[in-house]
């Protein structure tokens, strides 16, 4: 063959057919189909042999045919207005983790805060015959800008306000705040300040009330939380208010922050004043946003809302509804967890 001969064109192999699987396994096409779909009567050994044969041959079932057979698309939609994905992406990872082993795919649609865009995405999902929808957002006290209350498919809400009579899942913000304050108490801190976000957020008041409750239960004085923006700049400003007074005896020895950005601002501002963290003042944040918490110096102790676990529970709840199992409506609160790093300090010797 001449050296400059053109190589033979590459062509894709045709997909393995069910008939080929049946022939290789020594069974009828009907038996192979039933084995792969978990149907029909046969020994466990026969069913496993057929499935192993299909796996070795690289057989992939026709998803459209399966959808028509079972009257399901094996897809669910995830709607969110969390543009940056701070909350929706870990939640989606949990939803996908719950459903991938069931052969269910998840596709994400960002509705921003646009009602028209939200309606277009919902109609597209319905056109694709999704089996259900998980609705999530960037805060738990607001509805998504689209009406999901009258759809003929199941809807589960996670980290956003549900419609009446629907299933909703949120993190236990009060429980998370208690974890933070109780950690400070275990470390011997007694003058604990609270710096949080805007008063327009329901979680701000929920966490503040839990903060006060723990201090009251331990016979300690309470102070009004300082409320501002969800930002590092506000953390800087809050330190000026808390530590601007003369005399260290009136300074807090711990600061519980409403999110990790505020906490990072607090730590930076304390360092600028020559106040050591955690030796002089312990700091705990909220959200466990790892890109912020682990880059803070010292690394930030924070409350994790377990969003992946929340997404997993939402996915399982939706799958149960799709399978026809009724669920009690209402909001379920899932526990948070404390992630200890260096900023809160060590127990007293």
């Amino acid at each position: 063959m001449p050296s400059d001969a053109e190589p033979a064109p590459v062509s894709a192999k045709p997909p393995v057919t069910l008939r080929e699987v049946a022939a290789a396994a020594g069974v009828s096409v009907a038996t192979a189909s039933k084995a792969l779909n978990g149907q029909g009567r046969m020994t466990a050994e026969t069913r496993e042999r057929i499935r192993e044969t299909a796996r070795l041959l690289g057989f992939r079932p026709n998803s459209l045919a399966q959808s028509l057979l079972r009257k399901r698309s094996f897809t669910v939609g995830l709607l969110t207005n969390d543009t940056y994905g701070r909350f929706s992406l870990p939640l989606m990872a949990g939803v996908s983790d719950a459903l991938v082993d069931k052969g269910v795919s998840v596709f994400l649609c960002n509705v921003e805060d646009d009602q028209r865009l939200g309606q277009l995405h919902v109609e597209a999902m319905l056109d694709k015959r999704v089996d259900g929808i998980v609705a999530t957002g960037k805060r738990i006290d607001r509805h998504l800008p689209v009406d999901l209350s009258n759809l003929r498919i199941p809807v589960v809400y996670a980290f956003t306000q549900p419609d009446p009579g629907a299933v909703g899942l949120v993190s236990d913000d009060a429980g998370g705040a208690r974890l933070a304050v109780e950690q400070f108490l275990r470390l011997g801190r007694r003058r604990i300040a609270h710096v949080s976000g805007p008063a327009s957020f329901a979680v701000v008041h929920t966490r503040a009330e839990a903060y006060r409750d723990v201090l009251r239960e331990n016979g300690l004085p309470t102070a009004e939380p300082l409320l501002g923006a969800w930002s590092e700049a506000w953390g800087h400003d809050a330190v000026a208010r808390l530590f601007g007074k003369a005399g260290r005896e009136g300074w807090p020895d711990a600061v519980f922050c409403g999110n990790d950005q505020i906490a990072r601002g607090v730590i930076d501002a304390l360092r600028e004043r020559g106040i050591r963290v955690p030796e002089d003042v312990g700091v705990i944040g909220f959200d466990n946003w790892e890109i912020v918490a682990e880059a803070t110096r010292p690394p930030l102790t924070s409350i994790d809302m377990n969003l992946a676990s929340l997404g997993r529970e939402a996915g399982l709840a939706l799958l149960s509804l799709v399978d026809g199992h009724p669920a009690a409506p209402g909001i379920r609160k899932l526990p948070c967890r404390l992630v200890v790093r260096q900023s809160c300090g060590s127990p007293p010797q």
Side-chain angles (χ1 to χ4, degrees):
M1 180 182 294
S3 59
D4 58 349
E6 293 185 5
V10 176
S11 59
K13 292 182 179 180
V16 176
T17 66
L18 183 62
R19 187 176 299 280
E20 290 173 306
V21 173
V27 297
S28 68
V29 172
T31 299
S33 175
K34 290 174 183 178
L36 296 176
N37 287 314
Q39 301 171 342
R41 290 185 177 183
M42 66 191 72
T43 65
E45 183 181 357
T46 298
R47 191 184 302 276
E48 183 56 33
R49 186 179 82 253
I50 295 169
R51 288 179 173 175
E52 180 63 12
T53 300
R55 186 187 69 80
L56 292 173
L57 291 176
F59 173 73
R60 296 180 62 83
N62 186 315
S63 59
L64 177 59
Q66 285 199 326
S67 298
L68 293 173
L69 177 66
R70 303 188 188 183
K71 298 182 179 179
R72 285 182 52 186
S73 67
F74 293 92
T75 59
V76 299
L78 181 65
L79 280 177
T80 184
N81 65 345
D82 178 19
T83 307
Y84 294 102
R86 168 65 191 92
F87 305 110
S88 61
L89 290 182
L91 194 140
M92 181 179 181
V95 173
S96 298
D97 181 63
L99 301 184
V100 66
D101 289 338
K102 310 294 184 181
V104 179
S105 300
V106 183
F107 64 93
L108 172 68
C109 289
N110 188 353
V111 304
E112 300 178 359
D113 286 312
D114 187 328
Q115 183 176 5
R116 178 177 172 276
L117 180 61
Q119 191 59 45
L120 287 174
H121 280 314
V122 170
E123 290 172 1
M125 288 181 176
L126 296 177
D127 287 342
K128 293 179 183 296
R129 300 292 194 268
V130 294
D131 296 325
I133 292 175
V134 175
T136 184
K138 52 191 174 184
R139 54 190 292 183
I140 66 172
D141 56 353
R142 292 288 187 274
H143 286 286
L144 288 183
V146 60
D147 183 11
L148 304 175
S149 59
N150 295 313
L151 302 183
R152 294 185 179 181
I153 58 174
V155 179
V156 170
Y157 296 80
F159 206 78
T160 192
Q161 188 170 356
D163 288 311
V167 176
L169 296 96
V170 298
S171 299
D172 183 359
D173 285 279
R178 293 187 71 93
L179 288 174
V181 182
E182 289 168 353
Q183 173 70 2
F184 279 140
L185 295 178
R186 280 192 294 273
L187 298 175
R189 315 277 181 173
R190 291 297 180 268
R191 301 186 307 278
I192 304 169
H194 183 32
V195 180
S196 195
S200 59
F201 282 69
V203 294
V204 167
H205 302 284
T206 300
R207 296 172 189 172
E209 189 56 37
Y211 153 80
R212 295 189 196 95
D213 287 345
V214 176
L215 294 181
R216 291 192 196 103
E217 291 164 9
N218 287 273
L220 297 174
T222 63
E224 278 301 305
L226 299 183
L227 306 185
W230 298 114
S231 68
E232 291 185 34
W234 165 232
H236 275 83
D237 294 344
V239 165
R241 298 191 193 187
L242 290 169
F243 295 86
K245 304 171 185 175
R248 285 178 174 262
E249 64 278 357
W251 288 358
D253 61 5
V255 183
F256 166 43
C257 300
N259 78 351
D260 293 343
Q261 291 166 283
I262 294 173
R264 184 166 179 168
V266 165
I267 289 176
D268 288 347
L270 289 171
R271 184 188 305 110
E272 291 167 5
R273 290 174 174 266
I275 301 172
R276 299 172 302 168
V277 176
E279 293 85 355
D280 301 324
V281 179
V283 179
I284 294 179
F286 208 107
D287 292 347
N288 192 36
W289 191 1
E290 292 184 356
I291 195 172
V292 173
E294 294 179 354
T296 302
R297 292 293 174 263
L300 179 64
T301 295
S302 187
I303 301 298
D304 194 311
M305 293 186 290
N306 284 331
L307 293 176
S309 296
L310 189 69
R312 178 174 177 80
E313 291 299 317
L316 292 174
L318 183 65
L319 192 62
S320 179
L321 291 172
V322 169
D323 286 340
H325 305 297
I331 296 177
R332 288 175 51 200
K333 295 182 179 180
L334 276 64
C336 299
R337 64 188 175 98
L338 176 73
V339 179
V340 177
R341 297 187 181 90
Q342 298 173 24
S343 68
C344 61
S346 303
Q349 300 298 318

